Short mmCIF file of all heavy atoms in Angstrom, two decimals:
data_model
loop_
_atom_site.label_atom_id
_atom_site.label_comp_id
_atom_site.label_asym_id
_atom_site.label_seq_id
_atom_site.Cartn_x
_atom_site.Cartn_y
_atom_site.Cartn_z
N ARG A 967 16.85 48.36 90.48
CA ARG A 967 17.97 48.35 91.42
C ARG A 967 17.83 47.20 92.41
O ARG A 967 18.81 46.53 92.75
CB ARG A 967 18.04 49.68 92.17
CG ARG A 967 18.45 50.86 91.33
CD ARG A 967 18.95 52.02 92.18
NE ARG A 967 17.96 52.45 93.15
CZ ARG A 967 17.07 53.41 92.91
NH1 ARG A 967 17.00 53.97 91.72
NH2 ARG A 967 16.21 53.78 93.85
N THR A 968 16.62 46.96 92.87
CA THR A 968 16.39 45.87 93.82
C THR A 968 16.71 44.53 93.19
O THR A 968 17.39 43.68 93.79
CB THR A 968 14.93 45.88 94.30
OG1 THR A 968 14.64 47.14 94.92
CG2 THR A 968 14.67 44.77 95.31
N SER A 969 16.25 44.34 91.96
CA SER A 969 16.52 43.09 91.26
C SER A 969 18.02 42.89 91.03
O SER A 969 18.54 41.79 91.21
CB SER A 969 15.78 43.07 89.91
OG SER A 969 14.39 43.14 90.10
N ALA A 970 18.69 43.97 90.63
CA ALA A 970 20.13 43.88 90.39
C ALA A 970 20.88 43.56 91.68
O ALA A 970 21.82 42.76 91.68
CB ALA A 970 20.64 45.18 89.79
N ALA A 971 20.47 44.20 92.78
CA ALA A 971 21.14 43.96 94.06
C ALA A 971 20.94 42.53 94.51
O ALA A 971 21.89 41.87 94.98
CB ALA A 971 20.61 44.93 95.10
N LEU A 972 19.72 42.01 94.37
CA LEU A 972 19.46 40.62 94.76
C LEU A 972 20.25 39.64 93.91
O LEU A 972 20.78 38.65 94.42
CB LEU A 972 17.96 40.33 94.64
CG LEU A 972 17.06 41.03 95.66
CD1 LEU A 972 15.59 40.76 95.34
CD2 LEU A 972 17.37 40.55 97.08
N ALA A 973 20.33 39.93 92.61
CA ALA A 973 21.10 39.06 91.73
C ALA A 973 22.58 39.07 92.08
O ALA A 973 23.24 38.03 92.08
CB ALA A 973 20.90 39.49 90.27
N ALA A 974 23.10 40.27 92.41
CA ALA A 974 24.51 40.38 92.78
C ALA A 974 24.80 39.62 94.07
O ALA A 974 25.81 38.92 94.19
CB ALA A 974 24.89 41.85 92.94
N VAL A 975 23.89 39.75 95.04
CA VAL A 975 24.07 39.03 96.31
C VAL A 975 24.04 37.52 96.08
O VAL A 975 24.82 36.77 96.65
CB VAL A 975 22.99 39.45 97.33
CG1 VAL A 975 22.99 38.54 98.54
CG2 VAL A 975 23.21 40.90 97.76
N LYS A 976 23.09 37.08 95.23
CA LYS A 976 22.98 35.65 94.94
C LYS A 976 24.25 35.13 94.29
O LYS A 976 24.77 34.07 94.66
CB LYS A 976 21.79 35.41 94.03
CG LYS A 976 21.53 33.94 93.74
CD LYS A 976 20.28 33.77 92.89
CE LYS A 976 20.01 32.30 92.60
NZ LYS A 976 18.79 32.12 91.77
N ARG A 977 24.76 35.89 93.32
CA ARG A 977 26.00 35.47 92.66
C ARG A 977 27.16 35.46 93.65
O ARG A 977 28.02 34.58 93.64
CB ARG A 977 26.31 36.39 91.49
CG ARG A 977 25.36 36.22 90.30
CD ARG A 977 25.94 36.90 89.07
NE ARG A 977 26.11 38.32 89.27
CZ ARG A 977 25.17 39.23 89.00
NH1 ARG A 977 23.98 38.84 88.56
NH2 ARG A 977 25.40 40.51 89.19
N GLN A 978 27.20 36.44 94.50
CA GLN A 978 28.27 36.51 95.50
C GLN A 978 28.18 35.34 96.46
O GLN A 978 29.18 34.75 96.83
CB GLN A 978 28.18 37.81 96.28
CG GLN A 978 29.31 37.99 97.29
CD GLN A 978 29.13 39.24 98.13
OE1 GLN A 978 28.06 39.84 98.08
NE2 GLN A 978 30.14 39.63 98.87
N GLY A 979 26.96 34.98 96.83
CA GLY A 979 26.78 33.87 97.77
C GLY A 979 27.26 32.55 97.20
O GLY A 979 27.82 31.72 97.92
N LYS A 980 27.07 32.37 95.92
CA LYS A 980 27.51 31.12 95.30
C LYS A 980 29.03 31.02 95.29
O LYS A 980 29.59 29.94 95.20
CB LYS A 980 26.99 31.05 93.85
CG LYS A 980 25.49 30.78 93.77
CD LYS A 980 25.05 30.68 92.33
CE LYS A 980 23.56 30.37 92.23
NZ LYS A 980 23.11 30.27 90.82
N ARG A 981 29.70 32.14 95.38
CA ARG A 981 31.17 32.15 95.33
C ARG A 981 31.76 32.54 96.68
O ARG A 981 32.83 33.09 96.76
CB ARG A 981 31.64 33.14 94.26
CG ARG A 981 31.22 32.76 92.84
CD ARG A 981 31.59 33.83 91.85
NE ARG A 981 31.34 33.46 90.49
CZ ARG A 981 30.16 33.51 89.89
NH1 ARG A 981 29.11 33.95 90.55
NH2 ARG A 981 30.01 33.13 88.63
N LEU A 982 31.00 32.31 97.74
CA LEU A 982 31.44 32.69 99.08
C LEU A 982 32.80 32.07 99.39
O LEU A 982 32.97 30.85 99.29
CB LEU A 982 30.41 32.25 100.11
CG LEU A 982 30.58 32.80 101.51
CD1 LEU A 982 30.45 34.32 101.50
CD2 LEU A 982 29.55 32.19 102.46
N GLY A 983 33.75 32.93 99.73
CA GLY A 983 35.09 32.45 100.04
C GLY A 983 35.96 32.32 98.81
O GLY A 983 37.13 31.98 98.91
N ASN A 984 35.39 32.55 97.65
CA ASN A 984 36.13 32.44 96.41
C ASN A 984 36.55 33.82 95.95
O ASN A 984 35.71 34.73 95.89
CB ASN A 984 35.22 31.80 95.35
CG ASN A 984 35.98 31.45 94.08
OD1 ASN A 984 36.81 32.22 93.64
ND2 ASN A 984 35.66 30.30 93.51
N PRO A 985 37.79 34.03 95.59
CA PRO A 985 38.23 35.35 95.12
C PRO A 985 37.42 35.87 93.95
O PRO A 985 37.30 37.08 93.75
CB PRO A 985 39.69 35.11 94.71
CG PRO A 985 40.12 33.91 95.51
CD PRO A 985 38.89 33.05 95.62
N ASN A 986 36.83 34.95 93.17
CA ASN A 986 36.07 35.40 92.02
C ASN A 986 34.76 36.07 92.41
O ASN A 986 34.04 36.61 91.58
CB ASN A 986 35.76 34.21 91.10
CG ASN A 986 37.01 33.70 90.40
OD1 ASN A 986 37.95 34.46 90.17
ND2 ASN A 986 37.03 32.41 90.09
N GLY A 987 34.41 36.02 93.72
CA GLY A 987 33.20 36.69 94.17
C GLY A 987 33.23 38.18 93.92
O GLY A 987 32.19 38.82 93.82
N SER A 988 34.40 38.76 93.81
CA SER A 988 34.51 40.19 93.54
C SER A 988 33.97 40.54 92.16
O SER A 988 33.59 41.68 91.90
CB SER A 988 35.97 40.64 93.64
OG SER A 988 36.77 39.92 92.71
N VAL A 989 33.92 39.57 91.26
CA VAL A 989 33.39 39.81 89.92
C VAL A 989 31.92 40.17 90.01
O VAL A 989 31.43 41.08 89.33
CB VAL A 989 33.59 38.57 89.03
CG1 VAL A 989 32.91 38.78 87.67
CG2 VAL A 989 35.07 38.27 88.85
N ALA A 990 31.19 39.43 90.87
CA ALA A 990 29.76 39.71 91.03
C ALA A 990 29.54 41.11 91.58
O ALA A 990 28.64 41.82 91.14
CB ALA A 990 29.13 38.67 91.96
N LEU A 991 30.36 41.49 92.54
CA LEU A 991 30.24 42.83 93.11
C LEU A 991 30.51 43.89 92.05
O LEU A 991 29.83 44.92 91.99
CB LEU A 991 31.19 43.00 94.29
CG LEU A 991 30.86 42.20 95.55
CD1 LEU A 991 31.95 42.39 96.59
CD2 LEU A 991 29.52 42.62 96.11
N ALA A 992 31.52 43.65 91.22
CA ALA A 992 31.85 44.60 90.17
C ALA A 992 30.69 44.73 89.18
O ALA A 992 30.34 45.83 88.76
CB ALA A 992 33.12 44.16 89.44
N LYS A 993 30.07 43.60 88.83
CA LYS A 993 28.93 43.66 87.92
C LYS A 993 27.77 44.41 88.56
O LYS A 993 27.06 45.17 87.88
CB LYS A 993 28.48 42.24 87.56
CG LYS A 993 29.47 41.51 86.64
CD LYS A 993 28.94 40.12 86.30
CE LYS A 993 29.89 39.41 85.34
NZ LYS A 993 29.41 38.05 85.01
N GLY A 994 27.59 44.20 89.86
CA GLY A 994 26.52 44.92 90.56
C GLY A 994 26.74 46.42 90.52
O GLY A 994 25.79 47.19 90.34
N ARG A 995 28.00 46.83 90.66
CA ARG A 995 28.32 48.26 90.61
C ARG A 995 28.06 48.83 89.22
O ARG A 995 27.61 49.97 89.07
CB ARG A 995 29.77 48.49 91.04
CG ARG A 995 30.01 48.36 92.54
CD ARG A 995 31.36 48.91 92.94
NE ARG A 995 32.44 48.09 92.42
CZ ARG A 995 32.98 47.08 93.08
NH1 ARG A 995 32.52 46.76 94.30
NH2 ARG A 995 33.98 46.38 92.57
N VAL A 996 28.34 48.04 88.19
CA VAL A 996 28.08 48.49 86.82
C VAL A 996 26.58 48.69 86.61
O VAL A 996 26.15 49.71 86.04
CB VAL A 996 28.62 47.47 85.80
CG1 VAL A 996 28.14 47.81 84.39
CG2 VAL A 996 30.14 47.44 85.83
N VAL A 997 25.78 47.75 87.10
CA VAL A 997 24.33 47.87 86.97
C VAL A 997 23.83 49.11 87.71
O VAL A 997 22.99 49.86 87.20
CB VAL A 997 23.63 46.61 87.51
CG1 VAL A 997 22.12 46.80 87.58
CG2 VAL A 997 23.96 45.41 86.63
N GLN A 998 24.37 49.34 88.91
CA GLN A 998 23.98 50.52 89.69
C GLN A 998 24.32 51.80 88.95
O GLN A 998 23.54 52.75 88.92
CB GLN A 998 24.68 50.51 91.05
CG GLN A 998 24.15 49.46 92.02
CD GLN A 998 22.84 49.89 92.63
OE1 GLN A 998 21.79 49.76 92.03
NE2 GLN A 998 22.88 50.40 93.84
N ALA A 999 25.51 51.84 88.35
CA ALA A 999 25.93 53.03 87.62
C ALA A 999 25.04 53.28 86.41
O ALA A 999 24.67 54.42 86.11
CB ALA A 999 27.39 52.88 87.18
N GLN A 1000 24.66 52.21 85.72
CA GLN A 1000 23.77 52.36 84.56
C GLN A 1000 22.41 52.88 84.98
O GLN A 1000 21.82 53.74 84.31
CB GLN A 1000 23.64 51.02 83.85
CG GLN A 1000 24.91 50.57 83.14
CD GLN A 1000 24.80 49.16 82.58
OE1 GLN A 1000 23.92 48.39 82.96
NE2 GLN A 1000 25.69 48.82 81.66
N ALA A 1001 21.90 52.36 86.12
CA ALA A 1001 20.60 52.83 86.62
C ALA A 1001 20.68 54.30 87.02
O ALA A 1001 19.74 55.07 86.79
CB ALA A 1001 20.16 51.97 87.81
N ALA A 1002 21.81 54.70 87.63
CA ALA A 1002 21.99 56.10 88.03
C ALA A 1002 22.04 57.00 86.80
O ALA A 1002 21.52 58.13 86.82
CB ALA A 1002 23.26 56.25 88.86
N ASP A 1003 22.65 56.52 85.72
CA ASP A 1003 22.69 57.29 84.48
C ASP A 1003 21.27 57.49 83.93
O ASP A 1003 20.92 58.60 83.49
CB ASP A 1003 23.55 56.58 83.43
CG ASP A 1003 25.03 56.64 83.76
OD1 ASP A 1003 25.41 57.43 84.63
OD2 ASP A 1003 25.80 55.87 83.13
N GLU A 1004 20.47 56.43 83.94
CA GLU A 1004 19.09 56.53 83.46
C GLU A 1004 18.29 57.50 84.32
O GLU A 1004 17.45 58.25 83.82
CB GLU A 1004 18.43 55.15 83.45
CG GLU A 1004 18.92 54.24 82.33
CD GLU A 1004 18.66 54.85 80.96
OE1 GLU A 1004 17.53 55.33 80.73
OE2 GLU A 1004 19.59 54.87 80.13
N PHE A 1005 18.54 57.46 85.61
CA PHE A 1005 17.85 58.36 86.53
C PHE A 1005 18.20 59.80 86.21
O PHE A 1005 17.33 60.68 86.20
CB PHE A 1005 18.24 58.03 87.97
CG PHE A 1005 17.53 58.85 88.99
CD1 PHE A 1005 16.18 58.67 89.26
CD2 PHE A 1005 18.21 59.83 89.70
CE1 PHE A 1005 15.52 59.43 90.20
CE2 PHE A 1005 17.55 60.61 90.65
CZ PHE A 1005 16.21 60.40 90.89
N ALA A 1006 19.48 60.08 85.94
CA ALA A 1006 19.90 61.43 85.58
C ALA A 1006 19.23 61.88 84.30
O ALA A 1006 18.81 63.03 84.17
CB ALA A 1006 21.43 61.48 85.44
#
């Protein structure tokens, strides 16, 4: 989760001010959901 969050932040930072930055956030949420599934 830590690695995924850092990667998402890094991707978001590269697109700061760019509408496409929401893509990175969406990918981060997908990774979080997958990790939560594995935890369950």
